[in-house]
Amino acid sequence: MSGPKPSQATILGHTLMTLVIAAAGGFVGQMAQIPAGWLMGSALAAAGAALAGVKVTVPGWLRDITFVLTGMSMGANVARDSLSLIAQWPISLLGLALELVLIIATTGYMLRKLFRLDNATAYLSSFPGHLSFVMGIAATGLGDPRQITIIQVIRIMMLTLCVPMGALFLPIEHFPAPANIVVMDAQTLVMLAIACAITGFLFTRLRVPAGMVLGAMAAATAAKLGGLFDGAMPVPLANLTFVLVGALIGSRFAGITLTEFRQAAIGGLIATAMTVGIVTAIAYGVSLLVDMPFGQIWLGLSPGALEGMGALGVALGYDTAFIAAHHVSRLLMLTVAIPLVAMIVAPRKSQPV
């Protein structure tokens, strides 16, 4: 029997506590000069608090605001010459398709053989993205939903961490920052925010994957490329967006006990390591064929959450149009792959071993 529903005041209190924790972590990350410090510090702080039992909460309305701000930020940072590179994208999209096949096949096999997970749990845990779709299928009786959640959340968290940490050691270049950054005025900012929110809502109603983020980015990108504005988001608002994304990532650890976390963490970490290895190898191969920074290709091919990878792309100075296009393509590929694999593993679950 479930407990009483929390009051609005309680939810608001938990939300404010979450934001304070995330902001404090982001500030520490920035002061420590961690790449994408506001994002990474806030995500680590919120995740740690959730695992420690703090009621880390990001309500639906704040989540949607976060998605809209993320899409705005990505669209505002789209390079004007990004469309000139579109002829090179089929190569990276082919690499993305190959990558997905390798990740699902190898990590699913590993989880099944090494950790003795049933077929459904192993392969639903191996899908690099579309967590809501995966969990919806798991809720019908396929696999262990909590095991799948922990493994998937660890994957998202670790992939979000790998890129900025890798920036310290790997050849992940930053684009030079403009000498004089023009910030959009308040009226433009408000009008753009309204357009992004409306477009995000429409995309969601049309059941577009990650509709709020992609709708907001589509509106901001169209306005940017159409010459309706040329300024960047104000720095405080951009930093707030990073903190909100970090809080959202950390909140995915809410409700997971330390015992449950430990039981699935090893499998999740190994699966993540395998995923990172495959992504890095494919990204390196693609980088030999196209004229783009390795880090940008890595972010485009990496199967992290769109809002997390998009925010990292903004923080690291990469072309967010390229990153978003590849994440949308990944989600579309998974939309077809997930039900197909689910149909394959479903009969095997009831077979005697």
Side-chain angles (χ1 to χ4, degrees):
M1 184 175 181
S2 60
K5 185 177 180 180
S7 66
Q8 290 297 319
T10 300
I11 294 174
L12 179 59
H14 292 162
T15 301
L16 290 175
M17 178 61 70
T18 300
L19 295 180
V20 169
I21 292 171
F27 178 77
V28 172
Q30 186 69 13
M31 291 299 99
Q33 297 185 338
I34 297 173
W38 280 106
L39 174 63
M40 297 319 308
S42 59
L44 285 171
L51 290 174
V54 177
K55 299 293 185 180
V56 175
T57 302
V58 177
W61 61 268
L62 184 56
R63 178 200 61 205
D64 290 342
I65 290 175
T66 302
F67 288 160
V68 170
L69 288 174
T70 301
M72 280 180 59
S73 179
M74 293 170 67
N77 282 274
V78 167
R80 286 191 176 275
D81 62 347
S82 60
L83 295 180
S84 65
L85 299 174
I86 198 168
Q88 298 179 349
W89 290 4
I91 297 175
S92 52
L93 288 172
L94 180 61
L96 175 64
L98 174 61
E99 165 193 299
L100 293 179
V101 172
L102 291 174
I103 289 172
I104 295 168
T106 58
T107 58
Y109 181 83
M110 179 276 297
L111 291 170
R112 186 165 60 90
K113 291 297 184 180
L114 188 59
F115 292 91
R116 304 298 181 185
L117 299 182
D118 61 85
N119 283 338
T121 301
Y123 285 100
L124 288 178
S125 298
S126 71
F127 282 110
H130 239 332
L131 179 59
S132 59
F133 194 3
V134 171
M135 294 310 301
I137 292 178
T140 66
L142 280 178
D144 182 338
R146 292 191 76 83
Q147 289 265 337
I148 294 169
T149 298
I150 296 169
I151 292 173
Q152 289 279 12
V153 168
I154 288 173
R155 174 187 60 80
I156 293 171
M157 188 70 182
M158 292 305 297
L159 284 172
T160 307
L161 287 170
C162 281
V163 176
M165 294 306 168
L168 299 175
F169 308 103
L170 298 177
I172 299 181
E173 314 88 342
H174 292 226
F175 291 133
N180 296 307
I181 300 177
V182 178
V183 177
M184 68 180 78
D185 59 68
Q187 181 178 357
T188 301
L189 183 64
V190 171
M191 295 299 294
L192 181 63
I194 293 173
C196 287
I198 292 174
T199 310
F201 175 77
L202 292 176
F203 272 44
T204 301
R205 296 288 291 179
L206 293 172
R207 300 186 183 278
V208 175
M212 290 301 292
V213 177
L214 294 177
M217 181 181 175
T221 300
K224 179 74 173 287
L225 297 180
L228 298 181
F229 77 95
D230 195 33
M233 288 176 59
V235 173
L237 183 58
N239 290 339
L240 173 62
T241 302
F242 294 145
V243 169
L244 289 173
V245 173
L248 185 61
I249 293 171
S251 71
R252 289 174 174 146
F253 284 85
I256 297 176
T257 66
L258 286 175
T259 299
E260 289 177 312
F261 182 81
R262 283 194 294 266
Q263 288 175 346
I266 297 177
L269 289 172
I270 294 176
T272 302
M274 293 173 64
T275 299
V276 170
I278 292 170
V279 170
T280 303
I282 297 294
Y284 177 74
V286 171
S287 71
L288 299 178
L289 302 174
V290 300
D291 183 20
M292 294 182 190
F294 173 77
Q296 178 174 299
I297 298 171
W298 203 104
L299 268 177
L301 299 184
S302 63
L306 174 60
E307 65 274 11
M309 293 298 113
L312 279 174
V314 173
L316 296 174
Y318 294 128
D319 181 0
T320 51
F322 175 88
I323 295 169
H326 285 70
H327 281 273
V328 173
S329 299
R330 173 172 57 86
L331 292 175
L332 292 176
M333 292 177 190
L334 289 175
T335 299
V336 177
I338 290 171
L340 287 177
V341 174
M343 286 189 291
I344 293 173
V345 300
R348 297 181 181 179
K349 182 182 178 184
S350 60
Q351 292 177 354
V353 295

